[in-house]
Amino acid sequence: MDVITASKKLADLLEASTQAVVFTGAGISTESGIPDFRSPTGLWKNNMPIDFRDFVSSPQARQEAWRRKFALEEKFLNAKPTRGHMAVAALIDAGIASRIITQNIDNLHQASGVDTAKIIELHGNGTYAACLDCGKRHELAWIGEIFKKTERPPDCTACAGILKAATISFGQAMPELQMKHAEAASLACDLFVVLGSSLVVYPAAAFPVVAKRSGAKLVIINREETELDPIADLVIHEDIGEIMHPLCDFGWDTRS
Ligand code: NAD
Ligand code: ZN
């Protein structure tokens, strides 16, 4: 299937749907310069993730986690929403898609202009930090200044607790409210579109299955195969930007 045909098939499914949900993974952001995890150039090639329990129990693990965070910070700060993000924003704007469920922590859906109430962040947000004890928000720039001087992250200014990027690490509890919202959106939709997720990180990867089981059509767009390809109604092994970009100019009938 060529790119134009694939894009048209997706547009037809979106137009026929009454409530679509978009589910995004790191692949929607690679065009912006933020590497994903599992592609050949992905972050896992060099760094195994640091488990939450190690982060909490070991100052060395915390130092390494923050070192990695700041090593990548320039990429995150310079990243702009991709063609995929802009197309998803257009779908939300037209009322074709009701919610974005994202595994990403890069804030690029918000940067594309989508109302935060429509974005369900399963793995938190990496553009700020939070205290693990009292929950107070802390800005990365301040932590970065101290880390640069001392090679150690500061403690929480309110309670001296441990500061961590406001993301969900392996071994850390999933955010309850976001999980509930994601489940409700998956059950309510009639079309579930997965963009750039390897669909191996659970429980996030269960939502396409939840949607499919409750009767929604499933679309998977990824340049590689995924384990859920066999249950999908449409699988497109192409670049997300190439497929999604034409949807920006589709002239959707805006729904209320
Ligand atoms: P992943 O790295 O496991 O998978 C990304 C998938 O996207 C791969 O299957 C790859 O083939 C595909 N892909 C990459 N670029 C593509 C493109 N341009 N077009 C089509 N397909 C493309 O990512 P994941 O499934 O999201 O899981 C990784 C976890 O790591 C996430 O849960 C997230 O929390 C975190 N993470 C987030 C970011 C981010 O916020 N941008 C980046 C890396 C990792
Ligand atoms: Zn605190």
Side-chain angles (χ1 to χ4, degrees), residues 50-61:
I50 295 166
D51 191 271
F52 183 64
R53 280 153 295 211
D54 294 336
F55 185 92
V56 172
S57 64
S58 152
Q60 287 76 23

Side-chain angles (χ1 to χ4, degrees), residues 59-78:
Q60 287 76 23
R62 288 201 284 283
Q63 187 187 35
E64 174 59 10
W66 279 109
R67 188 195 64 73
R68 289 183 194 176
K69 173 81 186 148
F70 289 123
L72 277 176
E73 188 54 9
E74 207 171 319
K75 282 200 167 91
F76 275 84
L77 281 177
N78 292 332

Side-chain angles (χ1 to χ4, degrees), residues 65-139:
W66 279 109
R67 188 195 64 73
R68 289 183 194 176
K69 173 81 186 148
F70 289 123
L72 277 176
E73 188 54 9
E74 207 171 319
K75 282 200 167 91
F76 275 84
L77 281 177
N78 292 332
K80 303 266 179 312
T82 63
R83 292 176 296 172
H85 290 103
M86 296 320 292
V88 172
L91 293 176
I92 292 278
D93 207 33
I96 303 281
S98 60
R99 288 281 183 288
I100 302 167
I101 304 174
T102 189
Q103 294 178 275
N104 294 344
I105 54 150
D106 55 25
N107 207 50
L108 289 182
H109 286 298
Q110 288 89 334
S112 74
V114 174
D115 179 357
T116 50
K118 305 216 158 159
I119 305 169
I120 303 167
E121 288 179 319
L122 294 177
H123 295 161
N125 189 305
T127 59
Y128 55 93
C131 171
L132 289 179
D133 295 320
C134 75
K136 181 178 160 67
R137 174 180 166 138
H138 294 271
E139 301 310 319

Side-chain angles (χ1 to χ4, degrees), residues 15-70:
E15 194 146 66
S17 76
T18 55
Q19 200 177 147
V21 161
V22 178
F23 178 98
T24 61
I28 195 174
S29 299
T30 50
E31 196 177 281
S32 76
I34 299 175
D36 64 10
F37 263 172
R38 292 176 184 76
S39 284
T41 52
L43 294 170
W44 271 16
K45 292 290 153 217
N46 302 317
N47 294 314
M48 282 307 279
I50 295 166
D51 191 271
F52 183 64
R53 280 153 295 211
D54 294 336
F55 185 92
V56 172
S57 64
S58 152
Q60 287 76 23
R62 288 201 284 283
Q63 187 187 35
E64 174 59 10
W66 279 109
R67 188 195 64 73
R68 289 183 194 176
K69 173 81 186 148
F70 289 123

